[in-house]
Structures are given as C-alpha cells and as structure tokens.
Amino acid sequence: MTVEIPTTQRALVFDTWNGPLEVRQVPVPSPADDEILVKIEYSGICHSDLHVWLGDLKGMSVCPLVGGHEGAGSVVQIGKNVTGWQLGDKAGVKLMNFNCLNCEFCKKGHEPLCHHIQNYGFDRSGTFQEYLTIRGVDAAKINKDTNLAAAAPILCAGVTVYKALKESNVKPGQIIVLTGAGGGLGSLAIQYANAMGMRVVAMDHSSKETHCKNLGAEWFVDAFDTPDIVSHITKLTEGGPHGVINFAVARKPMEQAVEYVRKRGTVVFVGLPKDSKVTFDTTPFIFNAITIKGSIVGSRLDVDEAMEFVTRGIVKVPLELVRLEDVPAVYQKMIDGKITSRAVVDFSL
C-alpha cells in the first residue's frame, strides 16, 4: 500500500496572542524513526484552544502556533523503528505526549503528570493542520468501526470528563452535580455519568435545560436564577451530592460546590476560569471531610476506555462539523457561552 503525500498542507496559524487566525500553506512534516505521519481528517475544537489563542496560558504555550489537540485520521507514513502500526490504521492525536514512560508518575499510570510531556496545540504545532507527526507509542489506536468525527473530541474532552468522573469516586446509584453541564464537556459528562450508573444533576443556564434532560440528566438547576444554589441543591439531593465536577469557567460555582457537596464528598475542578483563585471556609471543609481534586485529561488506558463507550454507541458525541476557516467563529460562540455541542473541523469541507 502506498500513499501519495503532498509537500505542503493547510494549517490554521496565529502569530500573536489574540491575533488573526489565518489559514496558510505550511510544509508537511516527515516522521522521525519512532514516529508516524497521520493525515488529520477531523480535529475537535476545545475550550483550551481558545484560552491558548487568547494568551491566557502563555506560561504553557508558544507563539506563533498551530492550535488544536483532538486529531483523528489515518496513518500514511511510518518511521523505520515503529512497531504496531500499519498504513491505513486509524490513529488519534491527543493533547499530552512525549512522556518518558519511566518516571514515578508514568509508572503509576499518571502519564499527564510526567515532567517530560509536550502538548500539541500548546508548546508544539497541533491538529489544526492536515498532516501531523506523533510518536508511535503516543498515538491512540482507534477502532475501524468508530466514527472518526466522533472520536476526535474523545481524545481530550471525552477522556477529560471520563477521568474526572472516575476521580469523583461517585458509585453507581449515587448523585453527581455537573456545573456547566450544557457545554461541550458537560454534554459528554452527562452521558458518561449515566453509562457509569450515576444520577446526574445538571447545572447551567436555563436555556440548556431541555438539552441536558435529553442527554439523560435526572435534575436540572438554573445556575443563574436560582436564589440560593447551596440550599436548593442540598435539599434536592437530600443532604448534598456525593460528588461535584466543575466544568463551568467561573469562580463562583467552584466555591459553591465546596458548600453543598455531601459530607465525605468529592469536588473535582476541571474548568479553567481566567485568574481562577478560589476561597472557601476551611471549617466545614475539615469537619465534613470533603475532598477537593484537580483533574487533567487521562492516561493511555483512560483514552482507550473512554473511546470504547463511543465505539459501542453508549456515548453519542453531539457534533457540529465546521471548516478550518470557521474556527474563529466557534471561538466567539465559546466566549458568548452558546456552545451546546462539540465543534469539529472536517478537513474535507
């Protein structure tokens, strides 16, 4: 099997933080001996892509940059030292790669915490381009029966919510609150939580109630017009939810979660508000034995497990396919809080 590979490709580039996003012709990279070349067919658009472009994460990213870190496509070239891949295989490019596989964190399955990682779309060119190289050991294998457009968002958004749900320690039959439940992450989290046997309280703007209920939320709470969120949720859940995952990009719901979570409950922070410093009363935190965690994407195994839910049709990704040129418009919808689906660049458009 031979594949014709062009010398140049389309890529979405910005030269300055919050500067123009331009589609340009750039060279197609050649894979190193331990890398594969993936023809990117779909790339999810993540909220963190917006933060990188705005310059909110300057300490973690570089500029100029090709953004994106949720890429799914086909293997078109293989480095001479790569094993386990064949031309035509479906491959995923996730956010964090190049981990050492030999440190304390890698050995324990906490690969995103490795000190050696590099992040596509942050400190190296990402998936908003038609071709990308990645180490063979880092690329995610995607089942041939999996919808590639749906697979792309799972490589960051899907595994992020799946891992956060695991970190919440909420058991089947117990209650979990999801803030920002109607957004891109929340829409996936509702489905994963249901698939894992959890009972879901969705919290977001009232305009997203029907959307959240249709995805499987048992209850909905208006995050903006409910007079006393803490007492309302405590009463609704008869003592507080067993866990809370904060996807909302705002400080207030992060602080409120510590107040209404059940005794011995767990609060997981995922959303990244700008200047997100939170404060809370330490007395109930200590006396109620509350656990607060941060959670960031997941391991290779977490990616495989999260993808399996999609392959089996248990989790359905609410997709909006867009052109590469449409990414700026999607960013604006994110800023305006009007995202209810996972926007995915379709490179065939």
Side-chain angles (χ1 to χ4, degrees):
M1 178 180 179
T2 58
V3 180
E4 185 176 346
I5 302 170
T7 57
T8 62
Q9 60 167 328
R10 291 184 304 147
L12 187 69
V13 185
F14 63 88
D15 295 315
T16 58
W17 311 116
N18 202 13
L21 290 153
E22 299 177 346
V23 177
R24 301 176 188 167
Q25 287 291 321
V26 302
V28 172
S30 297
D33 291 345
D34 62 346
E35 293 180 331
I36 58 176
L37 178 66
V38 180
K39 181 180 180 181
I40 304 295
E41 298 173 46
Y42 299 96
S43 178
I45 305 173
C46 182
H47 211 285
S48 57
D49 292 321
L50 168 65
H51 284 297
V52 170
W53 171 62
L54 289 175
D56 296 338
L57 301 173
K58 290 181 180 179
M60 303 169 58
S61 55
V62 297
C63 186
L65 185 68
V66 175
H69 56 269
E70 296 180 344
S74 302
V75 177
V76 294
Q77 196 172 355
I78 301 173
K80 67 179 183 180
N81 293 337
V82 174
T83 59
W85 289 97
Q86 296 182 353
L87 294 179
D89 283 351
K90 303 303 180 184
V93 179
K94 59 189 187 299
L95 171 64
M96 295 182 176
N97 300 278
F98 296 93
N99 49 307
C100 71
L101 301 177
N102 201 41
C103 68
E104 168 193 355
F105 302 109
C106 287
K107 288 179 178 179
K108 292 181 178 179
H110 304 306
E111 298 154 16
L113 303 181
C114 176
H115 294 296
H116 301 280
I117 58 170
Q118 296 178 37
N119 302 309
Y120 282 102
F122 277 66
D123 54 19
R124 62 183 293 133
S125 290
T127 57
F128 292 158
Q129 57 186 322
E130 294 174 305
Y131 292 86
L132 191 65
T133 56
I134 181 172
R135 288 195 312 178
V137 295
D138 289 327
K141 285 186 176 292
I142 299 176
N143 190 297
K144 61 181 177 57
D145 297 323
T146 306
N147 181 313
L148 270 188
I154 302 305
L155 294 160
C156 180
V159 68
T160 292
V161 304
Y162 175 66
K163 178 65 171 180
L165 287 164
K166 291 170 69 174
E167 289 288 335
S168 75
N169 295 320
V170 173
K171 296 177 174 59
Q174 294 183 334
I175 300 171
I176 190 153
V177 167
L178 306 175
T179 73
L185 289 176
S187 295
L188 290 173
I190 293 172
Q191 298 180 73
Y192 275 108
N194 280 330
M196 297 163 76
M198 303 176 190
R199 303 174 68 189
V200 177
V201 179
M203 188 188 304
D204 211 316
H205 189 272
S206 60
S207 63
K208 298 183 179 181
E209 179 173 1
T210 300
H211 172 72
C212 291
K213 289 286 188 68
N214 288 341
L215 289 174
E218 189 170 342
W219 301 277
F220 183 87
V221 175
D222 188 330
F224 296 87
D225 292 331
T226 302
D228 187 341
I229 289 283
V230 173
S231 62
H232 179 77
I233 292 181
T234 302
K235 183 177 180 180
L236 181 70
T237 57
E238 299 182 354
H242 301 84
V244 183
I245 302 180
N246 188 83
F247 298 117
V249 286
R251 186 180 70 180
K252 188 174 181 180
M254 299 173 82
E255 295 177 338
Q256 290 172 330
V258 181
E259 298 181 52
Y260 63 68
V261 71
R262 207 178 200 91
K263 291 182 179 181
R264 291 195 58 79
T266 300
V267 178
V268 183
F269 291 158
V270 176
L272 289 169
K274 187 177 181 180
D275 303 323
S276 54
K277 295 181 180 179
V278 298
T279 58
F280 55 88
D281 188 341
T282 56
T283 300
F285 168 67
I286 295 169
F287 278 82
N288 292 336
I290 294 167
T291 298
I292 299 176
K293 294 181 177 181
S295 184
I296 178 71
V297 291
S299 67
R300 288 166 169 77
L301 179 61
D302 292 322
V303 171
D304 292 343
E305 291 176 352
M307 194 70 73
E308 184 67 18
F309 283 91
V310 176
T311 302
R312 293 166 56 200
I314 297 173
V315 170
K316 300 184 184 301
V317 182
L319 290 172
E320 178 189 0
L321 297 180
V322 301
R323 302 173 306 153
L324 186 60
E325 292 84 356
D326 296 329
V327 171
V330 174
Y331 283 171
Q332 189 58 52
K333 287 175 67 176
M334 289 178 174
I335 293 170
D336 296 338
K338 295 180 179 179
I339 291 288
T340 58
S341 61
R342 290 303 297 184
V344 174
V345 173
D346 181 345
F347 282 91
S348 70
L349 298 178

